[in-house]
Amino acid sequence: MQRGSCGHTAIRQAKSEDLDAVMNIYEAARSFMRANGNHTQWVNGYPSRAHAERDCAAGWLWVLDEGEGPVACMSVMPGPDRTYASIEGEPWLNDEPYWVMHRLACTEQGRGLGSRMLAFLCESHDNVRADTHETNAAMQRALERAGFCRRGTIICDDGTPRIAYHFVRHSCR
C-alpha cells in the first residue's frame, strides 16, 4: 500500500464495486486522447465494461484509490499475449515469461497518477511488455519515464500497428 499526503492512497486489486469508477476513468482517458489528437485509439466502445468485468474477476484489474474511490486503473495479466508473438524492428529484450500491461487510464492528467501506477507495476514485476498507438505521445512518454524500452512494432488482432515497449528490471536505465 502507498500512502499520500491527503489521507490513504492505495494501489490495489479492483473490486466489483469499483467498476462504475473504472468506466468513468476509461471515459476520461478517451476524452483526453481526443483532445490531444489521438482519434484512433479506444474507439467503438473499447474498452468495454465486459473488459473491466473480466479483468476484475481474474484479479488483473488494479486501481489507484486516493480514499474517495479509484482515480486511475490498469490491467496487468500474465503473458504470453498472442499479439506479441511477432515483432517487427527491434526484438523483445528477452524471451522469459512476462506480464502484460493494458488499459492504463487516469481521471486527470498532470497529477502523476499514471506514473504512480507504472512505478507500482515496475516495482512488483521484473519483466513486463506493453504497447500503445503511434499517436499516444503521452503514453509513450510515461512508459519511457518508467523505464520501459521502446522496441519494434506489433500488429494487433484488428490489423492495426502498435509501438511495443518492454521493461526488464535493470536493463534500460
Side-chain angles (χ1 to χ4, degrees):
M1 173 156 29
Q2 299 177 350
R3 179 179 280 265
S5 59
C6 16
H8 293 283
T9 298
I11 297 176
R12 59 172 174 78
Q13 285 185 306
K15 302 177 277 193
S16 58
E17 54 265 28
D18 296 322
L19 292 175
D20 288 341
V22 167
M23 295 311 298
N24 289 335
I25 295 166
Y26 288 162
E27 188 53 42
R30 275 189 207 93
S31 295
F32 175 81
M33 285 187 237
R34 301 305 170 265
N36 287 277
N38 181 354
H39 299 281
T40 58
Q41 190 172 1
W42 286 20
V43 295
N44 302 321
Y46 178 89
S48 68
R49 188 171 187 99
H51 287 106
E53 289 171 349
R54 180 203 65 205
D55 292 355
C56 184
W60 299 338
L61 183 59
W62 292 82
V63 295
L64 170 58
D65 187 337
E66 294 185 321
E68 300 294 322
V71 294
C73 62
M74 69 179 166
S75 293
V76 181
M77 56 207 61
D81 183 315
R82 71 176 175 271
T83 60
Y84 293 173
S86 177
I87 186 168
E88 299 172 13
E90 294 296 318
W92 297 112
L93 295 172
N94 66 41
D95 292 322
E96 301 297 317
Y98 60 90
W99 292 85
V100 179
M101 189 277 297
H102 287 302
R103 296 180 282 283
L104 174 64
C106 308
T107 55
E108 299 174 55
Q109 302 303 312
R111 290 189 47 216
L113 302 174
S115 294
R116 288 161 62 191
M117 294 295 282
L118 289 171
F120 170 82
L121 174 66
C122 294
E123 289 167 8
S124 56
H125 297 80
D126 290 336
N127 196 18
V128 183
R129 295 180 184 182
D131 65 85
T132 193
H133 282 237
E134 183 177 35
T135 56
N136 195 337
M139 180 59 74
Q140 292 171 42
R141 284 189 304 272
L143 288 167
E144 290 167 12
R145 276 193 315 262
F148 281 76
C149 296
R150 184 174 176 155
R151 306 311 296 156
T153 302
I154 57 134
I155 305 299
C156 290
D157 289 338
D158 66 3
T160 59
R162 299 286 188 282
I163 300 169
Y165 284 86
H166 197 170
F167 170 83
V168 178
R169 191 176 315 266
H170 306 297
S171 71
C172 295
R173 293 184 181 214

